Amino acid sequence: MSSLLEVTGIGKSFPGVRALNGVDFSVSAGEVVALLGENGAGKSTLMKILAGVQPPDQGEMKIGGETVSIRSVHEGLEMGVALIHQELNLATNLTVGANIFLGREPRIAGVIDEKAISENAAVFLQQVGLDVAPDTLVEDLTIGKQQLVEIAKALSTSAKILIMDEPTSSLSQGETERLFEVVKELRNDGVAIVYISHRLGEVEELADRVVVLRDGENAGELSRNEINHDAMVSLMVGRDLSQFYSHEPQKPGEVVLCASGIRTPVHSHEEISFELRAGEIVGLAGLVGAGRTELLETLFGITPSVSGDISVGGETVAVTGPRVAIAHGIVLVPEDRKQQGLVIEMAVADNLSLTSLERDQKTGRLNFEAEKSITEEMSEKMRIKTPSSRQVVRYLSGGNQQKVVLGKWLAMKPRVLLLDEPTRGIDIGAKQEIYALMEKLAEEGVAIFFVSSEMEEILGMSDRALVMHEGRLSGVLSREELNEEAVMQLATGRSEAAA
Ligand SMILES: Nc1ncnc2c1ncn2[C@@H]1O[C@H](COP(=O)(O)OP(=O)(O)OP(=O)(O)O)[C@@H](O)[C@H]1O
Ligand SMILES: [Mg+2]
């Protein structure tokens, strides 16, 4: 098979970081190539070069056998290369339809043809299985749905080479399955697809070939019949990983958080009641849109409950805002790290110590010694890859940004830790470290309540799992009752168990 796109000897440096060093990569028409590597390995950097987002320092690029240079995203699109960004890249104040056709609006006599936008957008929305009107504002959609809009937008360009940088990281199982169908249809139509994911199960299902980067260099390739979990992991990490982390349940302590009859503003017709005990790790499963994030946001006071009671350590608390929650030892690590979790223009060290650092009562100065020790401890624990702790967070790779968010909140040593998709976009080595950290915090008596769309994570880490369906708590599964089938039954509303 001759390659549709081929690059050789690609190099790219940023201040203090050699992101890519002599990398070769190719993809053919009708082929799905999975690009793998640990956080910071250089995957997104390489893809941004292919799509014209940024230029390489060195290297050659060919499309259809001809040497090309792609100097802008616009030129990339003209040559048939479209990139679905890892970090969502939508104009959130515009409608879904306006985003899909941004910069390429159909016009009649120079005037934007809104009707054509709506009609055309609807076709691509349907293709990705997203059931929203084209005139919906993007900011009113969940992240999962925003991700589907990004995908619809890329499809609308009729690209010959489609690059997907972690497209499923915030999709539910159902949405992921739909996306897989789309990918397979595109492959049959002869589109060349590059697929980046940290979910190795997806790669096994989809990829015709696997290319692995390690520290900005080619680490190896696997052809279709060589693709398996262990082979991928050992190429990525260059060392053997111990068995995939699994949680050792322990005897839960006393109730630390009790929610009785609470109603979230989004699904205010449903009452939700449950308890969290010290040292317990409780998973919260459900499809995207089931109300999991809303529930966490209500417990944390971002969207206070409409009615019902929340008590912490036996004391009823009116959680009217995050300040109240934090004062009672409840913290939330949000799903959308860019908006809620990070101060993107500040250094790694400042972000890590943001929440836990107290100012000196008298002078109002920050304690720099404390900042240094928190930063060192958390950078090491989380294995954050950065040239220095003074690096601005914006320039870290996606997975490393996620580690900074987690590190920041873990440094606070909370009583109740709410985690929304804690390992989204995190590589397999670092995932295990996050699981180990959750385990360690639970041993120290923290109650952990985590939302995850990854079945393996729910099954592997939960002492108990709550499942939601369309805003209601459709069931609670003990560790003995926990299996994929039971979770899916409850999540899709096919069954209900007594909560
Ligand atoms: N604009 C930039 N300025 C400075 N450093 C950068 C910039 N973009 C990327 N880097 C650095 O280049 C390296 C590769 O980053 P890249 O985003 O390509 O990693 P990745 O493989 O996509 O990781 P992840 O799985 O976490 O998304 C990282 O060390 C990152 O911090
Ligand atoms: Mg990336």
Side-chain angles (χ1 to χ4, degrees):
M1 223 177 352
S2 72
S3 305
L4 181 55
L5 176 136
E6 183 174 12
V7 294
T8 44
I10 298 288
K12 179 80 185 174
S13 294
F14 298 106
V17 188
R18 184 136 182 79
L20 295 172
N21 187 12
V23 171
D24 300 337
F25 183 80
S26 68
V27 58
S28 301
E31 185 187 32
V32 178
V33 176
L35 181 62
L36 303 184
E38 291 190 287
N39 295 134
K43 304 177 298 293
S44 296
T45 302
L46 180 62
M47 293 305 113
K48 286 183 196 159
I49 289 171
L50 301 187
V53 177
Q54 58 194 16
D57 299 339
Q58 294 98 34
E60 200 191 18
M61 189 160 163
K62 286 182 178 170
I63 293 183
E66 295 203 10
T67 302
V68 293
S69 73
I70 299 184
R71 281 159 304 191
S72 67
V73 176
H74 186 74
E75 280 189 17
L77 285 173
E78 285 192 335
M79 290 184 222
V81 187
L83 167 65
I84 298 167
H85 282 266
Q86 175 177 17
E87 302 301 330
L88 299 180
N89 221 14
L90 299 170
T92 51
N93 56 339
L94 299 181
T95 66
V96 168
N99 267 282
I100 291 180
F101 293 104
L102 197 64
R104 303 177 292 121
E105 294 85 358
R107 287 168 193 266
I108 300 176
V111 181
I112 293 181
D113 182 355
E114 300 288 351
K115 188 154 170 277
I117 288 188
S118 286
E119 284 171 8
N120 295 340
V123 175
F124 297 106
L125 293 174
Q126 199 194 356
Q127 193 179 358
V128 297
L130 180 57
D131 186 19
V132 301
D135 61 0
T136 313
L137 286 179
V138 166
E139 64 195 9
D140 293 335
L141 300 179
T142 60
I143 306 190
K145 290 187 171 154
Q146 292 187 15
Q147 193 140 28
L148 290 171
V149 174
E150 278 264 4
I151 295 166
K153 178 177 170 147
L155 295 179
S156 75
T157 67
S158 333
K160 286 183 296 179
I161 299 156
L162 183 61
I163 302 167
M164 309 178 130
D165 196 348
E166 299 193 35
T168 57
S169 61
S170 44
L171 299 189
S172 66
Q173 192 141 347
E175 288 168 329
T176 300
E177 280 163 18
R178 176 74 203 116
L179 181 69
F180 284 8
E181 284 168 30
V182 174
V183 170
K184 289 172 186 169
E185 283 161 21
L186 292 170
R187 166 167 55 194
N188 288 342
D189 293 343
V191 177
I193 296 165
V194 185
Y195 192 89
I196 299 179
S197 180
H198 289 292
R199 299 184 179 171
L200 302 182
E202 296 184 352
V203 174
E204 279 180 67
E205 171 163 356
L206 282 180
D208 298 311
R209 189 156 58 90
V210 163
V211 174
V212 183
L213 294 183
R214 195 191 308 150
D215 291 330
E217 301 187 3
N218 288 95
E221 282 198 27
L222 300 169
S223 57
R224 178 71 234 170
N225 54 7
E226 295 168 326
I227 298 174
N228 65 60
H229 186 274
D230 292 351
M232 290 188 276
V233 171
S234 76
L235 276 181
M236 272 197 289
V237 299
R239 59 188 148 88
D240 276 335
L241 276 186
S242 51
Q243 263 285 293
F244 202 70
Y245 206 82
S246 98
H247 171 56
E248 283 301 319
Q250 33 162 354
K251 211 170 160 350
E254 61 202 45
V255 174
V256 274
L257 183 136
C258 175
S260 59
I262 59 169
R263 296 192 287 137
T264 69
V266 187
H267 297 279
S268 57
H269 51 288
E270 302 287 357
E271 290 194 350
I272 296 177
S273 304
F274 63 93
E275 290 175 348
L276 301 176
R277 292 172 174 274
E280 199 180 29
I281 301 182
V282 180
L284 179 54
L287 307 179
V288 167
R292 299 168 302 169
T293 294
E294 285 84 26
L295 179 57
L296 293 196
E297 289 183 344
T298 293
L299 296 174
F300 190 56
I302 296 174
T303 54
S305 63
V306 187
S307 68
D309 284 320
I310 296 174
S311 65
V312 186
E315 177 198 348
T316 304
V317 181
V319 187
T320 48
R323 272 172 192 280
V324 180
I326 292 170
H328 287 84
I330 303 175
V331 310
L332 167 67
V333 182
E335 179 182 16
D336 185 353
R337 54 185 176 251
K338 220 174 179 180
Q339 280 187 12
Q340 298 165 0
L342 282 175
V343 186
I344 201 106
E345 298 301 346
M346 273 169 52
V348 171
D350 302 327
N351 270 284
L352 281 174
S353 54
L354 206 58
T355 44
S356 48
L357 215 53
E358 304 228 328
R359 280 173 194 272
D360 186 289
Q361 298 288 344
K362 281 197 204 112
T363 63
R365 285 210 193 100
L366 286 176
N367 177 342
F368 288 105
E369 275 305 306
E371 176 180 271
K372 201 156 161 265
S373 78
I374 292 170
T375 305
E376 278 169 10
E377 184 192 337
M378 293 322 290
S379 304
E380 197 195 293
K381 268 192 186 154
M382 312 289 298
R383 304 193 343 138
I384 295 168
K385 187 178 170 184
T386 170
S388 91
S389 63
R390 301 309 319 162
Q391 175 72 305
V392 171
V393 166
R394 172 183 295 286
Y395 301 127
L396 298 191
S397 78
N400 282 296
Q401 291 183 4
Q402 176 75 348
K403 292 188 203 172
V404 175
V405 182
L406 271 166
K408 166 181 125 174
W409 293 108
L410 296 183
M412 276 187 72
K413 310 215 172 8
R415 247 167 130 179
V416 178
L417 179 62
L418 309 172
L419 300 168
D420 199 350
E421 304 284 1
T423 65
R424 179 184 148 205
I426 286 191
D427 72 50
I428 189 147
K431 256 185 193 173
Q432 297 198 5
E433 290 173 48
I434 287 171
Y435 297 151
L437 259 168
M438 285 166 70
E439 176 97 12
K440 185 161 162 280
L441 289 169
E443 270 165 27
E444 289 167 9
V446 179
I448 300 180
F449 191 37
F450 76 102
V451 167
S452 175
S453 295
E454 278 194 66
M455 188 62 76
E456 272 180 42
E457 200 160 284
I458 292 282
L459 300 182
M461 286 305 294
S462 312
D463 290 326
R464 208 154 54 90
L466 271 50
V467 187
M468 291 184 75
H469 172 66
E470 292 179 355
R472 76 186 282 124
L473 193 57
S474 53
V476 180
L477 298 166
S478 67
R479 194 162 173 93
E480 294 71 44
E481 296 163 328
L482 248 182
N483 61 59
E484 178 161 1
E485 177 63 21
V487 173
M488 283 317 285
Q489 289 280 352
L490 291 167
T492 52
R494 271 177 283 156
S495 74
E496 287 224 352

